[in-house]
């Protein structure tokens, strides 16, 4: 029984990995379940046994990434044992690292939303479940810090948009950024390391935490 369970989990993982690559490279419309099955080393029938439809597979990929991102943000900003400055710093850094490890994800999501606005519902449901409580708690803490003169008053939702915008742009506009920086850095990865640090400092300067 354990062997059967492990095989089932391994097969599902291979399908999801192959599907992620196919969707990110070709978009929803261009992705083919036959190609996904071939890359995963399973039959087309077996793929449909696990995920039923292409839509279900797509939703699984997007939901998985959003949930991973939510866990990362919650583990950083939601840690009440740390000072606000450290939590914001960790939140920016971990979000940046997640995007760096999934560099095709932002462009893929934006392209899909613009091409198929109805798919925004998939993202909206997943995101709302993650951020509402987090942002309400963060806003309360920012308000308390500001009332004590420990930081600048700020809207937590605007702060989140600032973080996402700063972190996502270097990857969304990678070809333009690479041309713009030219040979100023040894590599694009070196630039990203410095960019992450700069993003943290930019957000903290807005809050003026002291």
């Amino acid at each position: 029984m354990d062997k059967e369970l492990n095989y089932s989990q391994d097969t599902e993982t291979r399908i999801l990995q192959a599907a992620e690559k196919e969707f990110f490279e070709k978009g929803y419309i261009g992705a083919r379940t036959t190609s996904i099955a071939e890359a995963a080393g399973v039959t087309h029938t077996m793929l449909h046994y696990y995920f039923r439809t292409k839509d279900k597979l797509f939703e699984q990929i997007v939901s998985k990434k959003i949930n991973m991102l939510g866990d990362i943000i919650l583990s950083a900003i939601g840690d009440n044992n740390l000072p606000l400055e450290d939590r914001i710093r960790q939140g920016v850094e971990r979000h940046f690292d997640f995007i760096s490890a999934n560099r095709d994800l932002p462009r893929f999501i934006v392209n899909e939303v613009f091409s198929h606005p109805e798919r925004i519902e998939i993202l909206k449901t997943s995101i709302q479940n993650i951020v509402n409580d987090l942002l309400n708690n963060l806003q309360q803490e920012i308000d308390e810090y500001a009332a004590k003169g420990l930081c600048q008053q700020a809207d937590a939702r605007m702060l989140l948009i600032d973080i996402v915008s700063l972190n996502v742009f270097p990857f969304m506009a990678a070809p333009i950024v690479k041309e713009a920086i030219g040979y100023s850095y040894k590599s694009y990865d070196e630039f990203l390391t410095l960019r992450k640090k700069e993003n943290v400092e930019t957000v903290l300067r807005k809050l003026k935490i002291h």
Side-chain angles (χ1 to χ4, degrees):
M1 182 67 68
D2 288 341
K3 288 184 178 179
E4 291 180 2
L5 179 60
N6 289 337
Y7 176 79
S8 177
Q9 291 174 339
D10 182 59
T11 300
E12 184 172 326
T13 298
R14 294 202 318 274
I15 293 173
L16 286 172
Q17 289 173 342
E20 179 180 316
K21 187 173 186 296
E22 180 80 2
F23 281 127
F24 285 5
E25 288 182 356
K26 301 177 181 177
Y28 178 85
I29 295 297
R32 296 287 179 267
T33 53
T34 50
S35 299
I36 295 171
E38 183 178 353
V42 301
T43 64
H44 198 241
T45 300
M46 186 176 291
L47 183 147
H48 282 283
Y49 169 78
Y50 279 94
F51 294 100
R52 304 299 177 190
T53 66
K54 182 178 173 181
D55 278 341
K56 294 291 185 184
L57 190 51
F58 175 83
E59 290 175 13
Q60 181 92 352
I61 295 294
V62 173
S63 296
K64 176 186 173 184
K65 290 298 182 183
I66 295 297
N67 288 335
M68 286 174 61
L69 178 57
D71 289 343
I72 288 169
I73 294 175
L74 286 171
S75 69
I77 298 180
D79 187 352
N80 293 322
N81 295 318
L82 293 176
L84 181 60
E85 179 178 355
D86 292 342
R87 288 157 59 190
I88 296 296
R89 182 182 300 276
Q90 283 192 15
V92 176
E93 290 177 342
R94 292 181 186 179
H95 177 259
F96 191 98
D97 290 341
F98 174 82
I99 299 300
S100 184
N102 298 271
R103 298 185 183 188
D104 293 327
L105 181 62
R107 193 178 302 110
F108 166 75
I109 289 179
V110 169
N111 287 341
E112 289 303 316
V113 168
F114 274 102
S115 301
H116 305 279
E118 69 276 8
R119 296 210 178 100
I120 192 66
E121 291 301 321
I122 300 174
L123 296 174
K124 187 167 69 174
T125 301
S126 299
I127 291 172
Q128 283 179 340
N129 292 337
I130 293 168
V131 303
N132 280 346
D133 288 341
L134 173 66
L135 288 178
N136 289 336
N137 293 336
L138 182 60
Q139 186 66 67
Q140 181 179 349
E141 188 160 5
I142 290 174
D143 292 345
E144 291 173 356
Y145 264 62
K148 296 176 183 177
L150 299 175
C151 78
Q152 181 76 25
Q153 183 63 51
D155 185 319
R157 283 166 172 76
M158 288 297 183
L159 188 67
L160 179 62
I161 292 173
D162 289 339
I163 293 171
V164 172
S165 300
L166 286 166
N167 283 348
V168 166
F169 179 78
F171 303 98
M172 281 289 294
I176 299 172
V177 172
K178 287 178 181 178
E179 286 296 323
I181 65 176
Y183 296 100
S184 301
Y185 305 93
K186 293 179 181 178
S187 67
Y188 186 58
D189 285 337
E190 180 191 28
F191 163 78
L192 290 176
T193 298
L194 295 173
R195 188 67 233 170
K196 178 170 70 172
K197 181 179 178 181
E198 180 66 24
N199 288 355
V200 170
E201 297 307 319
T202 299
V203 172
L204 292 180
R205 279 197 296 269
K206 176 176 180 175
L207 282 172
K208 298 181 180 177
I209 297 178
H210 52 274

